[in-house]
């Protein structure tokens, strides 16, 4: 019987070609080695991911299978010939030998002779057992009566003798005096080197080709004089171990000294002497084994350090989760040049903080982050495990897309769920995807939760749960302000979450968390009280929130709650839900509250006094109730509400409402803790006043308020204001001139405010230009031509980012001096009819981003020299269509405007 062993589907050797079906053909004498050495070698080759054709001895008992054997030999990349004492007894073995040597000559087949307790000289000279075997063949030839067959046998024996002589002269491997396990390992390693076969991967590395290429390129870079460390980072189950294992199997034979230490974190956590076992394993892998048993980690570390400092090594340390592990396994003496160390970890901070990086000469270090699979590869991996195909089968297309979306490119989840769906019908799949929203697979959650469990403090764990439940996708600074007011240390906390791959920051400063991590965080909260959501610390599920509020079962345990009636599954409830405000009276610890598009009934005094964040999109009243307790409020978001004006005053609670366009009396406090005010998309809002009662305000956002006419001049009293966004408030009669007096405003957005339209205030009057002569204190007054019409916008000198997109601004309105905006780094003027670039741009020394469109589609050449650090998009220019007068605390420039043409 012929046994043909193959890889599992999808894990075949990448080096095999269509012509080669097998990596190795085994030629052996069954009576000598079939049940011992050959069997052990065959298994070792398969375990090493080497496709092996084995000619079992049972074949000899049957008919002539030579054509099959000839085919197998020709389709193999290498042949291993196990020359044992009775090898030459078999005419089939000798025929195989002849054909193998022919393939060596004609097809460059690799031939590896194994001298299994025989001497090459006996084979070469046909002595000892080989002499007896050849003599027996000759006797059979002499006994043959048919002259033709006799002649053929004589020719064949000549070929056999020549083949035996030839194979004996080849460089082979000798089994005599060797321990079989070690000898087999050397054979397998030799085949590895010659065939370049990768190690068997735990799963097919679908979609990881770019990462494999990156790590392979890093391995082959020999330019470092200090040794290289590569840290592969990513959330649990993202493929770090699979990638490291695959690349190690592909390249470990290129290093004489190497070791792969797997699952370090778990092995250390599960055993008291886990680190001792790991250091011993590494020490044994890279140096001679010691017969003396050692029970001290530091002894092994010292030995490891000496090897690493003096030998070129290749190490993979998988799943590092503490500094102790790195310091014990790598020491602090450094590496031999061209050594390569791969570390996989969930914690980006660890590698750069280990003892190696506290020396004067540190290793060269790179990081490689795994982000998950794209949609196409996610679907392919799911189908591989669930359907044993590359694409969804008919009837599975839609539900496969649902699973792919749920997994969000997470390889472990795709594998676990895929295997659980194997040989299940589409109806079963549909039920499973519905159940995933209610109950998580423990095999997935346990892996993800390891990063959460490794967080160093309760503060960081609370921060993670807050973000997972309420703040994913929100601005980092926004969340930072709110959560600091909730006594959460966000600076160190967010850093720790990022380091452990539990959180990332998007390009627009948004908090980004993988869907499965968010689900894991919410599951941790749900476990606080599985049967009674009212007992949980956070309520993020709209159905749970509506039920708790409707039944008035809120408790003091609840610290955060969100409800958006538009998200309720019951369509009738979306329209009819009305909140009885006394349902909030029992939630004394509530600090984070989001009630979007909710109808209210009752007294607003029932709102908890400890609120730090109140979000009420679609608020139905025309004004904010005066009895709403907001003295501790840090962020107020009334977007898309019906309010007509903003500006009210309090003492403690409640207080009498004041006039909306006035200021508060000195003994009253208006939202004294408020730092963030968002009134965006309030289409009926016509004025924002009372800034003198907002002493802590840092961010004012009122975008797309199409009815907004005025922002009160009292804004000058908001000394802490750093961010103002009034974009697309296209009826705004004027901007407050006092905004230019603010010292801390860094970002100002006035996109789409129609600043170039006739609705702007136009003055036909003589404006003096006040100039201070250097060192004299003399003010020089110069008249400005009376035919110029001005509309002035005062800009704070502290601006770092200014956006005036889509304002119909023109070149003529650009001031000739922007020196007061010396801090400006980003200027956005897209959608304005700019033609010429003004000289004043070169006077902005810190400008890094300058963006605008050029009107008319004319091709220009650039003649104006920029500061060396200015980054421009294609033909980006600066343009205004209203005159900007830069105002600072010390001086005012009324600019004498004139037209100066510049060519781009």
């Amino acid at each position: 019987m012929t046994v043909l062993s193959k890889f599992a589907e999808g894990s075949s050797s990448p080096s095999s070609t269509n012509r080669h079906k097998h990596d190795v053909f085994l030629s052996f004498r069954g009576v000598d080695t079939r049940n011992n050495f050959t069997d052990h070698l065959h298994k070792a080759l398969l375990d090493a991911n080497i496709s092996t054709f084995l000619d079992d001895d049972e074949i000899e008992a049957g008919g002539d299978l030579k054509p099959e054997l000839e085919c197998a030999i020709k389709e193999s990349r290498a042949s291993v010939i196990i020359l044992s004492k009775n090898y030459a007894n078999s005419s089939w073995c000798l025929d195989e030998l002849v054909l193998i040597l022919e393939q060596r000559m004609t097809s460059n087949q690799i031939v590896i002779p194994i001298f299994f307790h025989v001497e090459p000289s006996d084979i070469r000279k046909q002595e000892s057992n080989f002499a007896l075997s050849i003599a027996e063949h000759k006797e059979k030839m002499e006994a043959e009566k048919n002259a033709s067959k006799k002649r053929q046998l004589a020719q064949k024996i000549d070929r056999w003798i020549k083949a035996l002589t030839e194979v004996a002269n080849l460089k082979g491997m000798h089994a005599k005096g060797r321990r079989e396990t070690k000898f087999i390992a050397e054979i397998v390693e030799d085949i590895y080197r010659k065939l370049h076969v990768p190690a068997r991967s735990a799963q097919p590395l679908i979609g990881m080709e770019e990462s494999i290429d990156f790590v392979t390129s890093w391995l082959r870079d020999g330019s470092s004089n200090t040794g290289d460390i590569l840290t592969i980072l990513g959330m649990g189950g993202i493929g770090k171990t699979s990638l490291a294992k695959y690349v190690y199997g592909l390249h470990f034979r290129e290093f004489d000294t190497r070791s792969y230490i797997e699952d370090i974190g778990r092995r250390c956590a599960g055993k008291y002497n886990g680190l001792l076992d790991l250091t011993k394993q590494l020490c044994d892998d890279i140096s001679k084994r010691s017969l003396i048993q050692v029970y001290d980690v530091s002894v092994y570390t010292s030995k490891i350090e000496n090897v690493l400092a003096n030998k070129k090594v290749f190490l993979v340390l998988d799943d590092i989760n503490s500094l102790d592990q790195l310091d014990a396994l790598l020491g602090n003496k450094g590496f031999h040049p061209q050594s390569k160390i791969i570390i996989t970890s969930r914690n980006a901070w660890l590698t750069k903080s280990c003892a190696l990086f506290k020396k004067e000469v540190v290793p060269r270090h790179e990081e490689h982050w795994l982000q998950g699979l794209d949609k196409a590869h996610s679907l392919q991996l799911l189908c591989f495990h669930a359907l044993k195909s590359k694409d969804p089968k008919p009837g599975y297309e839609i539900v496969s897309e649902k699973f792919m979306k749920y997994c969000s490119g997470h390889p472990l989840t795709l594998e676990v769920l895929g295997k659980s769906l194997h040989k299940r019908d589409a109806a079963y799949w549909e039920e499973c995807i519905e159940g995933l929203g209610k109950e998580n697979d423990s095999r997935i959650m346990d892996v993800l939760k390891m990063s959460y469990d490794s967080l160093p403090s309760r503060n960081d764990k609370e921060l993670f749960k807050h973000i997972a439940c309420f703040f994913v996708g929100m601005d980092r600074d926004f969340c930072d302000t709110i959560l600091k007011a909730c006594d959460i240390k966000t600076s160190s906390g967010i850093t720790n979450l990022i380091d452990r791959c539990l959180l990332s920051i998007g390009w627009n400063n948004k908090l980004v968390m993988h869907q499965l991590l968010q689900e894991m965080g919410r599951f941790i909260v749900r476990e606080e009280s599985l049967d009674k959501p009212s007992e949980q610390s956070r309520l993020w599920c709209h159905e749970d929130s509506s039920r708790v509020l409707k039944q008035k079962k809120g408790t003091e345990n609840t610290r955060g709650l969100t409800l958006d009636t538009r998200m309720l599954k019951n369509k009738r409830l979306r329209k009819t839900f009305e909140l009885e405000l006394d349902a909030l009276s029992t939630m004394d610890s509530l600090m984070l509250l989001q009630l979007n598009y909710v109808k209210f009934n009752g007294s607003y005094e029932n709102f908890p006094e400890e609120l730090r964040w109140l979000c009420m999109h679609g608020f139905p009243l025309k004004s904010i109730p005066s009895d709403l307790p907001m003295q501790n409020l840090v962020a107020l978001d009334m977007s898309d509400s019906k309010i007509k004006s903003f500006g009210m005053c309090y003492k403690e609670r409640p207080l009498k409402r004041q006039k909306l366009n006035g200021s508060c009396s000195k003994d009253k406090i208006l939202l004294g803790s408020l730092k963030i005010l968002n009134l965006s998309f309030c289409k009926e809002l016509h004025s924002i006043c009372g800034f003198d009662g907002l002493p802590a305000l840092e961010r004012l956002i009122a975008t797309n308020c199409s009815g907004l006419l005025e922002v009160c001049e009292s804004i000058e009293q908001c000394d802490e204001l750093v961010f103002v966004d009034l974009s697309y408030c296209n009826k705004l009669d004027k901007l407050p001139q006092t905004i230019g007096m603010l010292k801390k405003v860094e970002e100002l957005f006035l996109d789409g405010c129609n600043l170039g339209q006739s609705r702007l205030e136009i003055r036909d009057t003589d404006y003096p230009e006040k100039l201070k002569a250097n060192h004299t204190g003399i003010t020089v007054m110069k008249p400005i031509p009376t035919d110029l019409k001005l509309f002035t916008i005062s800009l704070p000198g502290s601006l770092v980012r200014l956006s005036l997109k889509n304002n119909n601004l023109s070149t003529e309105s650009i001031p000739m001096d922007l020196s007061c905006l010396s801090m400006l780094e980003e200027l956005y003027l897209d959608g304005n009819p700019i033609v010429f670039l003004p000289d004043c741009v070169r006077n902005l020394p810190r400008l890094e981003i300058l963006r605008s469109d050029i009107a008319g589609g004319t091709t220009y050449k650039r003649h104006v020299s920029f500061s060396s650090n200015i980054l421009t998009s294609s033909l980006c220019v600066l343009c205004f269509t209203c005159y900007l007068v830069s105002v600072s605390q010390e001086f005012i420039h009324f600019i004498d405007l004139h037209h100066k043409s510049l060519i781009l």
Side-chain angles (χ1 to χ4, degrees), residues 14 18 41 96 157 203 285 428 437 450 666 677 769 794 814:
N18 291 332
L41 175 60
E96 289 174 5
I157 291 172
Q203 65 179 39
D285 284 349
Y428 183 92
M450 290 173 68
K666 294 181 180 179
L677 176 61
E769 183 181 65
S794 299
I814 302 174

Side-chain angles (χ1 to χ4, degrees), residues 12-22 74-77:
S12 61
S13 168
S15 56
S16 296
T17 63
N18 291 332
R19 189 172 62 86
H20 293 125
K21 290 186 178 180
H22 324 299
K74 292 178 181 179
E75 291 175 345
S76 297
R77 301 172 60 209

Side-chain angles (χ1 to χ4, degrees), residues 684-702:
E684 298 181 29
L685 180 69
H686 57 74
S687 64
I688 306 175
C689 306
F691 290 103
D692 55 340
L694 301 176
L697 191 66
E698 296 177 359
R699 299 165 73 88
L700 172 63
I701 307 146

Side-chain angles (χ1 to χ4, degrees), residues 583-796:
L584 299 171
S585 61
T586 56
M587 298 183 179
D588 296 333
S589 301
L590 196 62
M591 304 177 89
L592 308 171
L593 180 60
Q594 184 179 48
L595 297 171
N596 289 348
Y597 304 95
V598 174
K599 298 173 185 176
F600 301 96
N601 185 33
S603 172
Y604 288 87
E605 286 183 327
N606 290 306
F607 273 72
E609 294 184 5
E610 296 300 317
L611 282 180
R612 301 298 192 270
W613 172 48
L614 178 59
C615 178
M616 296 194 292
H617 290 182
F619 186 67
L621 303 185
K622 300 297 183 183
S623 60
I624 297 175
S626 60
D627 57 347
L628 180 65
M630 294 191 287
Q631 60 268 32
N632 293 316
L633 209 59
V634 171
L636 176 62
D637 187 348
M638 305 291 290
S639 298
D640 199 22
S641 65
K642 301 294 184 180
I643 61 172
K644 291 189 174 182
S645 59
F646 182 89
M648 59 187 189
C649 304
Y650 288 89
K651 282 185 180 177
E652 294 301 324
R653 63 163 303 209
L655 289 173
K656 181 181 177 182
R657 289 197 61 213
Q658 306 296 311
K659 293 182 179 180
L660 292 170
N661 58 353
S663 62
C664 298
S665 60
K666 294 181 180 179
D667 63 334
K668 295 180 180 180
I669 300 175
L670 172 63
L671 304 183
S673 300
L674 193 69
K675 294 185 177 182
I676 302 171
L677 176 61
N678 192 342
L679 301 170
S680 297
F681 294 93
C682 294
K683 300 187 184 305
E684 298 181 29
L685 180 69
H686 57 74
S687 64
I688 306 175
C689 306
F691 290 103
D692 55 340
L694 301 176
L697 191 66
E698 296 177 359
R699 299 165 73 88
L700 172 63
I701 307 146
T703 66
N704 292 276
C705 296
S706 55
L708 185 64
L709 301 176
E710 180 183 7
V711 177
C712 182
E713 293 287 349
S714 62
I715 195 172
E716 67 175 311
Q717 298 190 41
C718 296
D719 294 331
E720 302 301 317
L721 199 61
V722 296
F723 181 96
V724 178
D725 191 350
L726 300 173
S727 296
Y728 300 99
C729 296
N730 48 25
K731 290 185 180 178
L732 192 61
D733 284 339
K734 63 178 181 179
L735 293 173
Q737 294 298 308
T738 53
I739 197 172
M741 308 298 291
L742 295 169
K743 297 179 180 180
K744 295 185 179 180
V745 175
E746 296 181 354
E747 298 182 71
L748 177 60
F749 294 83
L750 299 172
D751 303 344
C753 287
N754 289 333
L755 299 180
Q757 299 300 317
S758 59
R759 67 167 184 79
L760 296 175
E761 178 182 354
I762 300 176
R763 299 180 181 180
D764 190 4
T765 182
D766 292 339
Y767 271 86
E769 183 181 65
K770 300 172 69 176
L771 298 173
K772 288 188 177 180
N774 290 338
H775 310 296
T776 65
I778 300 174
T779 300
V780 182
M781 312 292 284
K782 290 186 179 181
I784 290 179
T786 57
D787 60 337
L788 287 179
K789 296 178 181 247
L790 296 179
F791 170 67
T792 62
I793 300 176
S794 299
L795 298 178

